[in-house]
């Protein structure tokens, strides 16, 4: 993609230079011509010329076509060479006048000389310049609106991918599922002769950063076919009907390049469920419809595979998932501990590490991290190590990098009022103390009131082992630890703050999922209450929405009360931890556990 852009830029630069050169040259010639014609001073008035004609005193007249000056040779001049110049106010009228005089029997000759090539060219040039400028202006306007620039906007970006499967760490099952696609792209004929049908569309589902794009590129790289990438959000820009035409062009291009891969990132941007709306929505429908038409319209000899990525497969229109369209789904999960170690290994290749650093340790500390976050951590660590003038990346560089990627950059420069500090100290201490009494919540690793990113402070927990299931008790205890911050504010400062907004948001989401997704409510029972329309929900009774709300509220209220109970019973420790925080700003795991020993 880069290279292609560079080529385009060079071409543009050359065009601009050539245009400037041409304009400069023509201007120069025009100036010379104007200068010359100014030298030819008028030395005979038009009326005088008319008198000379009347008196038969004109021997010969010469005029260049399109010019307004006339060279006149008079009979009564002594020197043969002498000519006079006359400026003609209206050439057409003058030519007619000469014609009339001839018919009346006068002997006059008017030679019309053809204009010189240069003069004609210059005249023409200046007459088309305004048009050219207008055209250029329009082209620029259109480009600014993202139209017209074919390489980038209409057709999607095409690229030879040099990513291979070995560059994608972990994800073994996912790669296995794609091996047959690679085989097909390498030798579509073989599959066709066998009568084997290969899926046209494959949906890659997974959180951002899990490696969906990487995987798609690797398929193209392994098969050695072009990779045409486009993002769903690009389809829904500005002009009505444009999205659909882009889809059409994208597929037309793919058919030309076949065998190849089309990669549509963020397909949910176009493929969200259709609702009979208007405006942007119907524009969206057109785009989606076109996509469906194109998916259905593949000929058997087109070896084009469409890979699409989304992190919200449940949002997609069901029509997209029908047979012949995106009928195969591959879930790309965040890596487990082995996968994390492998990803770290890949991204550590070109970096220098201190000897005591073990990537397995880092993998152990980063449960739930995606490939993108891991690669990001190593990169940040390298930057931090460079800034700190270290020979190689050290343990503390890595720790700092992990914090930076997870909670944001440490903001030591931000001035914090004492009141805010006290609030944050009690808030974070509240989280930490409450967590200490919850068996399923992992141990506290570090507490700090130094702001990072948007958070005023943070409580970090030891990472969890990789888990496939989370129990109801775990979720309830998670709610309690989340509300520990707000509970501490309430109990100690007798007031509550906006600092808990994120905790509350997360807690509410967990509580809602417990009820509606995981069927954990005793009264409502194990039913999924995730539906498309309110009508579907009514299946479960007219008051179902109220009941869901009440259940969520009960979960949150119970957790909040429980958090306050724990803190009330451990008020001394809460004060102690908050005090240390106010003094030292950061508490490590050992320091924190010390509070509970004494
Ligand atoms: P997604 O498309 O799922 O959001 P990407 O494929 O764009 O994620 O991944 C972003 C970056 O993260 C990749 O370019 C790569 O550097 C790194 N990455 C993610 N997953 C892996 C993996 N399994 N192996 C190696 N690198 C990975
Ligand atoms: Mg991506
Ligand atoms: Zn909090």
């Amino acid at each position: 993609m880069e290279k292609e852009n560079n080529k385009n830029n060079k071409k543009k630069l050359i065009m601009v230079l050539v245009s400037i050169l041409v304009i400069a040259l023509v201007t120069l010639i025009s100036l010379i011509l104007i200068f010359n014609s100014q030298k030819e001073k008028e030395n005979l008035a038009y009326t005088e010329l008319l008198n000379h004609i009347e008196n038969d005193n004109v021997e010969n007249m010469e005029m260049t076509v399109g010019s307004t000056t006339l060279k006149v040779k008079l009979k009564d001049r002594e020197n043969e060479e002498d000519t006079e110049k006359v400026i003609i106010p209206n050439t057409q009228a003058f030519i007619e006048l000469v014609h009339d005089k001839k018919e009346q029997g006068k002997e006059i000759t008017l030679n019309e000389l053809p204009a010189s090539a240069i003069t004609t060219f210059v005249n023409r040039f200046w007459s088309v310049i305004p048009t050219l400028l207008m055209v250029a202006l329009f082209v620029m306007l259109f480009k600014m609106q993202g139209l017209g620039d074919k390489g980038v906007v209409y057709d999607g970006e095409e690229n030879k991918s040099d990513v291979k499967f070995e560059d994608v760490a972990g994800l073994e099952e996912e790669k296995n599922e794609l091996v047959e696609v690679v085989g097909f792209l390498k030798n579509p004929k073989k599959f066709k002769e066998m009568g084997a049908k290969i899926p046209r569309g494959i949906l890659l589902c997974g959180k951002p950063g899990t490696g969906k794009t990487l995987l798609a590129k690797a398929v193209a790289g392994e098969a050695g076919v072009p990779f045409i990438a486009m993002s769903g959000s690009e389809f829904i820009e500005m002009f009505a009907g444009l999205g659909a035409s882009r889809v059409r062009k994208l597929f037309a291009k793919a058919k030309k390049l076949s065998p190849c891969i089309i990669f549509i990132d963020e397909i949910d941007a176009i493929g969200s469920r259709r609702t009979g709306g208007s405006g942007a929505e119907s524009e969206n429908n057109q785009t989606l419809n076109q996509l469906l038409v194109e998916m259905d319209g593949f000929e058997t000899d087109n070896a084009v595979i469409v890979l699409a990525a989304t992190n919200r497969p449940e949002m997609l229109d069901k029509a997209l998932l029908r047979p012949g369209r995106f009928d195969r789904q591959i879930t790309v999960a965040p890596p487990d501990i082995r996968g994390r170690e492998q990803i770290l290994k890949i991204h550590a290749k070109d970096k220098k590490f201190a000897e005591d650093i073990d990537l397995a340790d880092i993998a152990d500390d980063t449960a739930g991290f995606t490939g993108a976050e891991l690669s990001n951590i190593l990169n940040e660590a390298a930057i931090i190590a460079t800034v700190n003038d270290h020979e190689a990346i050290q343990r503390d560089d890595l720790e700092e990098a992990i914090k930076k990627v997870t909670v944001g950059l440490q903001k030591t420069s931000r001035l914090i009022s004492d009141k805010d500090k006290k609030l944050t100290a009690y808030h974070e201490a509240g989280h930490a103390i409450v967590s200490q009494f919850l068996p399923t919540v992992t141990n506290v690793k570090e507490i700090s009131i130094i702001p990072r990113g948007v958070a005023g402070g943070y409580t970090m927990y030891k990472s969890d082992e990789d888990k496939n299931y989370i129990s109801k008790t775990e979720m309830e205890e998670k709610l309690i630890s989340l509300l520990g911050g707000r509970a501490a504010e309430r109990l100690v400062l007798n007031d509550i703050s906006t600092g808990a907004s994120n905790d509350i948001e997360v807690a509410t989401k967990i509580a809602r999922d417990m009820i509606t997704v995981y069927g954990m409510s005793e009264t409502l029972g194990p039913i999924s209450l995730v539906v498309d329309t309110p009508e579907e929900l009514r299946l479960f009774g007219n008051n179902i929405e109220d009941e869901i709300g009440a259940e969520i509220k009960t979960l949150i209220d119970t957790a909040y009360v429980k958090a306050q109970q724990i803190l009330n019973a451990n008020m001394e420790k809460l004060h102690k931890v908050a005090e240390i925080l106010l003094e030292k700003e950061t508490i490590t795991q050992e320091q924190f556990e010390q509070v509970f020993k004494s």
Side-chain angles (χ1 to χ4, degrees):
M1 281 171 248
E2 289 265 302
K3 264 185 219 152
E4 206 144 283
N5 274 346
N6 274 345
K7 235 198 274 166
N8 276 343
N9 282 346
K10 255 190 199 163
K11 257 192 218 161
K12 272 184 201 156
L13 198 71
I14 291 176
M15 289 229 306
V16 169
L17 282 179
V18 167
S19 319
I20 290 177
L21 217 75
V22 168
I23 293 180
L25 207 75
V26 173
T27 313
L28 194 77
I29 296 174
S30 320
L31 282 177
I32 292 173
L33 287 179
I34 289 170
F35 193 66
N36 272 344
S37 66
Q38 273 174 350
K39 264 200 320 199
E40 301 172 354
K41 278 212 188 93
E42 170 190 20
N43 39 25
L44 193 66
Y46 181 60
T47 43
E48 277 181 70
L49 171 70
L50 294 184
N51 279 337
H52 284 297
I53 292 175
E54 220 34 62
N55 299 335
D56 279 333
N57 195 20
V58 179
E59 189 180 318
N60 180 0
M61 295 187 289
E62 265 179 16
M63 184 162 76
T64 318
V65 172
S67 144
T68 52
T69 49
L70 190 68
K71 253 194 211 169
V72 183
K73 206 171 202 177
L74 295 175
K75 287 181 180 162
D76 61 355
R77 289 286 186 269
E78 269 123 60
N79 197 331
E80 283 275 297
E81 303 296 299
D82 265 3
T83 54
E84 314 281 330
K85 276 186 190 94
V86 184
I87 306 255
I88 309 290
N90 182 340
T91 29
Q92 200 51 46
F94 178 70
I95 291 170
E96 269 166 29
L97 181 127
V98 172
H99 194 72
D100 286 350
K101 293 287 171 198
K102 269 191 185 164
E103 288 202 330
Q104 287 165 20
K106 282 214 181 319
E107 255 185 55
I108 40 174
T109 45
L110 173 64
N111 294 330
E112 288 186 64
L113 303 177
S116 80
I118 290 183
T119 327
T120 330
F121 174 70
V122 168
N123 282 339
R124 290 258 167 84
F125 184 85
W126 286 120
S127 63
V128 296
I129 273 284
T131 324
L132 280 180
L133 279 178
M134 292 281 280
V135 170
L137 210 75
F138 267 106
V139 168
M140 256 158 66
L141 268 176
F142 270 105
K143 277 201 178 173
M144 266 170 12
Q145 296 185 325
L147 274 167
D149 196 347
K150 294 198 169 165
V152 183
V153 181
Y154 277 152
D155 303 355
E157 289 182 47
E158 169 211 338
N159 207 352
K160 280 271 175 197
S161 161
D162 43 18
V163 180
K164 293 275 156 52
F165 274 154
E166 62 176 36
D167 301 316
V168 186
L171 303 182
E172 294 307 327
E173 286 160 44
E174 290 84 347
K175 284 192 266 185
N176 273 339
E177 289 210 43
L178 290 166
V179 165
E180 76 177 47
V181 174
V182 172
F184 169 71
L185 288 169
K186 270 186 175 162
N187 197 347
K189 242 194 206 153
K190 197 167 115 192
F191 282 79
K192 208 189 134 201
E193 280 163 9
M194 193 66 74
K197 277 212 186 90
I198 288 294
R200 284 282 173 222
I202 299 174
L203 198 59
L204 302 169
C205 311
K207 283 209 300 186
T210 43
K212 300 181 293 295
T213 309
L214 192 69
L215 209 52
K217 279 188 183 162
V219 172
E222 286 285 335
V225 300
F227 178 79
I228 313 175
M230 204 146 175
S231 170
S233 55
E234 283 174 53
F235 287 111
I236 40 164
E237 277 169 51
M238 294 184 283
F239 301 105
L242 207 60
S245 104
R246 281 184 190 172
V247 172
R248 204 176 313 120
K249 290 189 174 158
L250 181 71
F251 279 77
K253 181 173 182 182
K255 281 174 194 166
K256 250 186 259 159
L257 289 173
S258 161
C260 70
I261 281 189
I262 295 181
F263 178 64
I264 305 177
D265 211 351
E266 299 173 53
I267 192 170
D268 41 287
I270 23 173
S272 302
R273 277 179 207 170
R274 283 175 291 187
T275 40
S278 59
E281 225 156 50
S282 70
E283 159 72 359
N284 232 350
N285 286 354
Q286 282 184 33
T287 313
L288 175 57
N289 285 337
Q290 189 63 39
L291 182 61
L292 296 176
V293 167
E294 296 292 348
M295 291 294 293
D296 292 342
F298 276 122
E299 317 270 319
T300 32
D301 38 336
N302 291 133
V304 179
I305 301 267
V306 189
L307 296 176
T310 178
N311 57 344
R312 294 179 295 177
E314 74 284 350
M315 291 276 298
L316 292 179
D317 197 297
K318 295 277 182 291
L320 266 177
L321 309 176
R322 288 211 194 106
R325 296 168 181 169
F326 293 96
D327 49 5
R328 190 178 296 188
Q329 284 195 24
I330 298 180
T331 304
V332 185
D336 61 5
I337 183 160
R338 269 198 50 230
R340 290 198 297 276
E341 193 180 339
Q342 286 167 348
I343 293 173
L344 286 167
K345 256 188 202 145
I346 285 186
H347 291 280
K349 260 183 209 155
D350 51 352
K351 297 186 178 64
K352 256 201 287 183
F353 288 93
E355 271 172 22
D356 62 333
I357 288 202
D358 187 0
L359 292 179
D361 279 350
I362 308 174
D364 195 31
D365 268 355
T366 45
F369 280 47
T370 61
E373 284 166 330
L374 292 172
S375 109
N376 210 349
I377 283 174
L378 291 189
N379 190 47
E380 288 294 343
I383 292 173
I384 293 167
T386 315
V387 170
N388 290 342
D389 260 337
H390 293 160
E391 292 273 303
I393 299 169
Q394 297 175 3
R395 189 86 228 168
D396 52 332
D397 299 328
L398 266 168
E399 299 256 320
E400 178 64 26
I402 292 177
K403 278 187 228 163
K404 193 169 166 181
V405 169
T406 47
V407 241
L409 192 59
Q410 192 163 346
K411 288 191 181 154
T412 36
S413 57
R414 195 159 91 194
L415 274 180
I416 312 146
S417 73
D418 284 349
K419 193 167 157 262
D420 276 2
K421 259 192 192 167
K422 189 175 174 196
L423 185 103
T424 312
Y426 275 101
H427 180 103
E428 298 304 334
H431 281 305
I433 305 254
V434 165
S435 305
Q436 196 70 5
F437 293 90
L438 301 170
T440 67
V441 176
T442 52
N443 287 344
V444 170
K445 192 174 165 198
E446 187 177 294
I447 319 163
S448 174
I449 57 168
I450 300 172
R452 271 177 185 280
V454 287
Y458 57 89
T459 302
M460 263 174 39
Y461 298 91
K462 298 272 297 185
S463 78
D464 237 331
E465 70 261 40
D466 297 308
K467 272 191 275 201
N468 288 322
Y469 304 108
I470 304 175
S471 72
K472 185 178 177 187
T473 311
E474 275 174 89
M475 290 178 111
E476 284 169 345
E477 293 193 348
K478 178 82 187 168
L479 292 181
I480 300 170
S481 79
L482 277 168
L483 295 172
R486 164 61 66 93
E489 289 178 35
R490 155 107 271 159
L491 292 177
V492 179
L493 308 169
N494 198 23
D495 195 3
I496 48 180
S497 78
T498 55
S501 65
N502 183 253
D503 298 334
I504 290 169
E505 190 185 327
V506 176
T508 310
K509 168 96 173 66
I510 292 176
R512 176 187 310 168
D513 284 353
M514 287 172 74
I515 306 299
T516 59
V517 181
Y518 304 115
M520 286 175 177
S521 155
E522 295 292 344
T523 42
L524 297 177
I527 14 171
S528 166
L529 295 165
V530 187
V531 289
D532 293 338
T533 60
E535 288 75 48
E536 272 180 75
L537 203 56
R538 302 273 151 69
L539 269 180
F540 305 105
N542 278 332
N543 296 324
I544 188 73
E545 278 148 329
D546 296 344
E547 288 171 44
I548 293 172
E551 286 288 283
I552 294 171
K553 189 164 160 15
T554 307
L555 280 174
I556 298 282
D557 285 350
T558 313
Y560 191 37
V561 167
K562 184 81 186 155
Q564 295 187 53
Q565 279 171 354
I566 296 174
L567 290 178
N568 260 327
N570 295 278
M571 203 40 96
E572 256 167 67
K573 295 189 173 74
L574 178 64
H575 286 307
K576 183 93 212 247
V577 173
E579 246 165 59
I580 307 176
L581 272 175
L582 281 170
E583 190 192 333
K584 299 205 170 118
E585 299 202 328
T586 302
I587 301 183
T588 62
Q589 184 179 3
E590 292 82 46
Q591 288 168 327
F592 180 69
E593 278 163 3
Q594 202 60 44
V595 174
F596 286 87
K597 279 177 195 146
S598 52

